[in-house]
Amino acid sequence: MTESRAGASSGPSIHVVAGVITDARDRILLARRTEGRDLAGLWEFPGGKVDPGETPEQALVRELREELGIEARVGERVIVVPQQYPHKRLRLDVRRIAAWSGTVKGLDGQALAWVPPHRLASYAMPDADRPVVAALRDPSLYLITPEPEDDVSWLDGLRAACDAGIARVQLRAPMLSIVDPAHWSLLVERAVAIAREVDADVLVNGDLALAERHGIGLHLRAAQLAELTTRPDVPGRVIASCHTLDELVRAQACGCDAAVLGPVLPTASHPGQAGIGWDAFARLREQVALPIYAIGGLVARDVEVARAQGAQGVAAIRGLWPR
Ligand SMILES: Nc1nc2c([nH]c(=O)n2[C@H]2C[C@H](O)[C@@H](COP(=O)(O)OP(=O)(O)OP(=O)(O)O)O2)c(=O)[nH]1
């Protein structure tokens, strides 16, 4: 981490709470920040700062009453995004609105828009909102396949994972892909067919040509990311493995869709190596606007903890592979 960037991450953090309000057609309400305020003109989830003595739930109910004229019941947490802006740090605590009544009006003169989830990304929003939009739309679990021991059990494992709800997978075989690339390509083709049956998003580790050939995304190793200045031209998503702030900044500058950051906790695959821990994860997270999966010693039930630190969710090999 460079001195200046580490230094920027200081000072108290403002607690902001915002609501995901949906209508009967599952569209989400965005409000446009009015002129004369910080981040004016950008679209946001309605809400505001938590006042001293208020719980986040009370603050959100108050803000929605004051700004929109509705009575809201606050539901489950979506994500808490720690974010560093040039002149302030905030924690954007986003909750679903379980139910609301009244007629939505822009009582502060703000423009409003009801937006289908797949169109959220086309609205210009503050940096803290990019991970929120990803948390609302994209999978919280990112399975990385283990090295295949035999084809049948590997493909069965993938099928079982997809049946259990895995919706994003990275096909990875560090040994087979080097020792027998033709065999690996055939296995990738069969894996893609299995994943497509359940509409799961598929990426291949490190191999641009394979990504192009099979019409899938590309997972960049940290060493590959270091050589890049622009987004690789692949048919699917691009996600990068990162361990440092400089790598996260590069992943964002290259137009990656997301990053994987860790190890957060110690893992069996890196014995003797301590994890960076959740505090360091959150400190790195707040310096970029990328959605970030946490990796390292994590399993599916850690998604809630991960979301509370601003993560998109959990990436894992063993932790997500069916036994
Ligand atoms: N409500 C809301 N605020 C957001 C979102 N994303 C995001 O970065 N923010 C920031 C903008 C503001 O800095 C802060 C919300 O504060 P606010 O809306 O109560 O405050 P404000 O305009 O009076 O704030 P400020 O100019 O004094 O910073 O959180 C979002 O999706 N919803």
Side-chain angles (χ1 to χ4, degrees):
M1 192 182 301
T2 63
E3 275 295 309
S4 57
R5 283 181 188 137
S9 179
S10 58
S13 186
I14 307 161
H15 191 175
V16 175
V17 63
V20 177
I21 303 169
T22 48
D23 70 1
R25 290 163 57 192
D26 278 339
R27 296 177 308 175
I28 293 172
L29 185 66
L30 295 184
R32 193 158 193 220
R33 292 183 65 80
T34 48
E35 287 313 311
R37 296 160 82 201
D38 205 12
L39 307 169
L42 298 181
W43 292 88
E44 65 177 12
F45 298 93
K49 298 185 191 96
V50 178
D51 284 343
E54 272 185 326
T55 65
E57 291 81 7
Q58 288 166 340
L60 186 50
V61 168
R62 174 184 53 73
E63 288 283 353
L64 300 184
R65 190 181 293 139
E66 288 171 4
E67 292 179 4
L68 301 172
I70 61 170
E71 290 304 315
R73 183 157 62 78
V74 177
E76 67 189 28
R77 168 175 285 160
V78 177
I79 188 169
V80 184
V81 182
Q83 192 72 46
Q84 175 78 52
Y85 288 133
H87 305 297
K88 64 182 162 198
R89 293 173 72 204
L90 58 87
R91 270 185 308 134
L92 180 62
D93 185 347
V94 182
R95 310 293 179 96
R96 287 192 187 271
I97 298 304
W100 58 275
S101 60
T103 306
V104 166
K105 291 187 227 64
L107 295 179
D108 294 334
Q110 73 276 37
L112 301 173
W114 287 103
V115 182
H118 71 275
R119 295 215 51 232
L120 284 172
S122 61
Y123 284 72
M125 298 177 93
D127 280 354
D129 293 78
R130 194 167 159 208
V132 181
V133 170
L136 289 170
R137 294 188 339 173
D138 296 338
S140 58
L141 299 176
Y142 183 29
L143 167 67
I144 305 163
T145 61
E147 182 76 42
E149 280 172 16
D150 71 275
D151 294 3
V152 173
S153 62
W154 190 79
L155 292 167
D156 283 351
L158 178 63
R159 192 172 292 109
C162 289
D163 287 345
I166 291 291
R168 177 167 276 173
V169 58
Q170 178 197 146
L171 306 176
R172 177 177 179 268
M175 284 199 299
L176 179 63
S177 58
I178 304 257
V179 177
D180 191 347
H183 186 160
W184 174 234
S185 179
L186 280 176
L187 213 44
V188 166
E189 187 176 341
R190 294 171 69 187
V192 170
I194 290 169
R196 291 231 164 106
E197 281 171 28
V198 294
D199 266 342
D201 188 23
V202 192
L203 297 86
V204 66
N205 181 286
D207 192 326
L208 181 64
L210 268 191
E212 280 169 350
R213 187 176 321 147
H214 297 292
I216 57 180
L218 178 66
H219 185 98
L220 295 166
R221 299 172 204 135
Q224 294 175 313
L225 176 67
E227 304 295 317
L228 283 187
T229 49
T230 55
R231 191 180 198 279
D233 187 15
V234 289
R237 305 290 175 113
V238 179
I239 299 182
S241 283
C242 297
H243 310 94
T244 64
L245 177 58
D246 286 338
E247 288 170 354
L248 288 171
V249 169
R250 181 176 285 268
Q252 177 162 289
C254 290
C256 291
D257 297 290
V260 171
L261 176 64
V264 174
L265 304 179
T267 81
S269 55
H270 299 84
Q273 192 180 330
I276 62 171
W278 283 116
D279 284 350
F281 179 92
R283 283 294 190 147
L284 291 166
R285 207 259 67 81
E286 72 180 20
Q287 306 286 335
V288 288
L290 272 179
I292 305 176
Y293 288 95
I295 194 168
L298 302 172
V299 296
R301 66 175 173 277
D302 293 316
V303 164
E304 212 177 314
V305 176
R307 285 273 171 108
Q309 305 294 339
Q312 169 69 19
V314 165
I317 305 177
R318 272 175 220 80
L320 296 178
W321 188 250
R323 280 141 224 281

